[in-house]
Amino acid sequence: MKFKHSHTTVVAVLVVLAACSISYSQKPPTSIDKERGHVILGTIKDDLKRYYYDPAFHGMDLDTRFKMADEKIKQAQSLGQIFGTIAQVLVDLDDSHTFFLPPGRSYRTEYGWQMQVIGDKCYVTAVKPGSDAAAKGLHQGDEIYAIDGIGPTRENFWKIQYMYRALRPQPGVRLQVIKPDGRQQQLDVSARIDQVKRVLNLSGDDDGTDIWNMVRESENESRLHRQRYVDLSDDVFVWKMPEFDLLKDDVDQFVNKFRKKKGVVIDLRGNSGGYVETLVRLLGNVLDHDVKVGDLKRRKDSKPLLAKTRGSEIFTGKLVVLIDSQSASASELFARVVQLEKRGTVIGDRSAGAVMEAKQYPHQLGIDTVVPYGVSITEADIIMTDGKSLEHTGVTPDEIKIPTAMDLATQKDPVLAYAASLLGVTITPEKAGALFPVEWRK
């Protein structure tokens, strides 16, 4: 869900958080822990006052709100509560791109299953073979009625993801599910917890073990987020685009794969966004004229965001764009421009409505023992050429097409199959569902 502003800054934050970690113990915090909490809170407040695009902070009394958080930190019973208090201040802004990046941990949590809002319900979309979730009988197509007593909705879904995956990963969750046949079950599903080194040796004195492990981890992440594609026929190409993370020349090279095709499906389902450079270059590869994406509304000014056409080098065939509730940021902007310019057909589910331009600011505490943390802050809202912002509203497809619980359970993809039919290719939902299988961390 990121309309990333600076590639270098984001990479720096991720490297720091991956290389250095702390343990999130439930034991009472020390006076040093609380003091660090106060410092982190104050630093984030300063960043927010300096960089946040809305000087009125959506009507929030910033000084009062941070003072209340400061008092809560004094009463916190664990380090997790301290970080939760800090995070809540930013969550209360209800801004998809402004959030606390807590220090890394000495362990990695993998739940072994994935979920997604489809229509107005939340479903299990993947279960890892061999996981506790699979052993307990959780399956694709199960509707998630509650997670630890919390009912997931479109409005709170990102907060649940943030809490369980970034802020406070849990060793297990209690799920209340409804099976595709209507049966209700309660399942206690454990996560896989892997310990990671708290201090990495990057000097090579350990025969390069830690350096190699970092490289392998980076390669693993790259594999999970790589661009995938398939030729459905001589004339039709499908691009499964997980992120807007390509450099300008890389976009051109990828489009060259289908530039002379009669039709292309750009599948942005699950695409959380990415870089401005990727967005405007991709638009420039499918539009025969320069276009204004919208106006970036900043704290002190407004600046147009423009996409320049590649002219005779563009793709001119039929275009179908797929989106869903996890299509966010740059993917939403791309889909909406396609609609406004009447360049193609957008199919799927309403998108996330998480469309802002943000920058991430890394910080650290300590000298001998370093505690890294960061904050993502929205620096601009983007107002589309129809005068509207997509934040909280998202993109409504030209045609709503979503899978049923039984489609998920049988791993069918009727949405992609329908998109292919619009381009003259007949493919079964079963075959469409097998084109881009879910992949897991090794």
Side-chain angles (χ1 to χ4, degrees):
M1 57 180 180
K2 299 174 182 176
F3 187 27
K4 297 171 185 169
H5 179 76
S6 168
H7 179 84
T8 302
T9 300
V10 173
V11 171
V13 171
L14 295 179
V15 169
V16 169
L17 293 182
C20 307
S21 60
I22 63 173
S23 177
Y24 279 36
S25 173
Q26 291 303 310
K27 65 182 181 181
T30 65
S31 59
I32 294 178
D33 290 332
K34 291 188 176 183
E35 180 59 31
R36 285 175 171 172
H38 294 306
V39 172
I40 292 173
L41 185 69
T43 301
I44 289 177
K45 178 183 178 182
D46 291 340
D47 284 346
L48 205 61
K49 283 190 169 184
R50 180 178 302 177
Y51 303 117
Y52 195 62
Y53 82 104
D54 178 11
F57 305 103
H58 307 305
M60 176 188 287
D61 185 335
L62 209 65
D63 291 330
T64 298
R65 186 67 187 85
F66 271 83
K67 183 177 180 180
M68 292 171 58
D70 206 58
E71 290 299 318
K72 286 185 177 180
I73 289 175
K74 295 178 181 178
Q75 306 302 320
Q77 299 300 306
S78 70
L79 194 56
Q81 286 185 13
I82 292 175
F83 291 151
T85 297
I86 295 169
Q88 188 63 48
V89 178
L90 301 182
V91 168
D92 288 345
L93 280 171
D94 199 21
D95 182 319
S96 63
H97 283 55
T98 299
F99 50 87
F100 173 46
L101 296 164
R105 295 170 178 79
S106 57
Y107 58 88
R108 179 187 297 116
T109 303
E110 183 183 76
Y111 292 104
W113 57 280
Q114 299 174 11
M115 63 179 177
Q116 180 179 337
V117 172
I118 298 175
D120 59 357
K121 296 180 179 180
C122 183
Y123 292 95
V124 176
T125 56
V127 178
K128 185 176 183 178
S131 65
D132 186 65
K136 294 292 177 57
L138 190 67
H139 294 289
Q140 290 178 218
D142 291 351
E143 179 188 344
I144 301 178
Y145 182 75
I147 305 171
D148 291 331
I150 303 172
T153 65
R154 274 186 176 265
E155 290 70 30
N156 69 12
F157 186 79
W158 75 268
K159 296 178 183 178
I160 292 175
Q161 292 279 67
Y162 175 57
M163 176 66 71
Y164 280 84
R165 297 190 180 278
L167 191 60
R168 292 184 185 176
Q170 300 296 310
V173 294
R174 171 164 289 180
L175 300 177
Q176 292 178 321
V177 304
I178 301 175
K179 296 290 183 176
D181 61 6
R183 291 181 295 115
Q184 297 184 20
Q185 284 188 349
Q186 177 174 292
L187 302 173
D188 291 322
V189 180
S190 298
R192 174 179 171 178
I193 308 296
D194 292 323
Q195 294 294 318
V196 296
K197 292 188 67 174
R198 297 181 62 180
V199 179
L200 299 181
N201 183 347
L202 302 183
S203 68
D205 292 345
D206 60 346
D207 294 326
T209 299
D210 284 352
I211 294 176
W212 167 244
N213 286 337
M214 286 187 65
V215 170
R216 184 173 58 182
E217 180 68 15
S218 176
E219 291 176 343
N220 195 10
E221 288 298 322
S222 296
R223 177 185 63 84
L224 293 175
H225 297 94
R226 73 188 186 281
Q227 307 289 330
R228 292 191 281 177
Y229 63 92
V230 65
D231 284 299
L232 286 185
S233 70
D234 291 339
D235 296 324
V236 176
F237 186 92
V238 179
W239 180 4
K240 180 67 174 177
M241 188 181 190
E243 291 182 323
F244 280 70
D245 60 353
L246 299 175
L247 299 177
K248 182 172 67 173
D249 290 343
D250 294 330
V251 174
D252 295 344
Q253 291 177 16
F254 206 98
V255 171
N256 283 340
K257 297 178 184 294
F258 61 83
R259 187 163 59 89
K260 296 182 180 180
K261 301 281 188 179
K262 292 182 179 179
V264 65
V265 177
I266 299 182
D267 190 347
L268 301 180
R269 293 174 296 176
N271 186 312
S272 61
Y275 306 122
V276 176
E277 177 183 13
T278 311
L279 168 66
V280 297
R281 194 60 173 182
L282 183 55
L283 285 169
N285 269 280
V286 299
L287 295 171
D288 62 5
H289 58 281
D290 297 347
V291 66
K292 182 170 81 169
V293 178
D295 290 305
L296 292 169
K297 183 181 178 182
R298 302 183 185 279
R299 175 185 284 256
K300 296 181 179 179
D301 58 22
S302 182
K303 178 182 178 181
L305 177 60
L306 306 175
K308 184 177 179 59
T309 180
R310 287 187 68 202
S312 61
E313 299 299 313
I314 69 168
F315 165 72
T316 59
K318 291 185 178 180
L319 173 63
V320 178
V321 179
L322 304 186
I323 60 173
D324 63 10
S325 66
Q326 292 184 332
S327 302
S329 249
S331 60
E332 296 181 89
L333 293 173
F334 181 83
R336 185 57 181 150
V337 171
V338 167
Q339 286 184 325
L340 292 172
E341 295 297 319
K342 303 185 186 304
R343 174 60 183 89
T345 305
V346 178
I347 296 172
D349 199 358
R350 180 164 61 88
S351 64
V355 187
M356 308 293 266
E357 183 186 53
K359 185 174 181 180
Q360 296 181 352
Y361 296 90
H363 298 288
Q364 66 180 43
L365 292 172
I367 298 176
D368 295 327
T369 301
V370 175
V371 178
Y373 66 96
V375 60
S376 175
I377 295 179
T378 293
E379 295 190 325
D381 189 4
I382 183 163
I383 308 301
M384 308 299 290
T385 54
D386 61 356
K388 300 177 181 179
S389 169
L390 296 175
E391 181 77 357
H392 299 308
T393 60
V395 177
T396 299
D398 299 311
E399 295 188 60
I400 298 289
K401 296 286 183 181
I402 58 176
T404 65
M406 191 57 67
D407 288 330
L408 295 172
T410 54
Q411 301 182 43
K412 296 178 182 178
D413 189 348
V415 182
L416 179 53
Y418 177 71
S421 73
L422 296 181
L423 300 177
V425 174
T426 299
I427 180 174
T428 65
E430 291 87 351
K431 185 175 180 180
L435 291 177
F436 305 108
V438 174
E439 297 180 334
W440 300 92
R441 180 186 297 276
K442 292 181 179 180

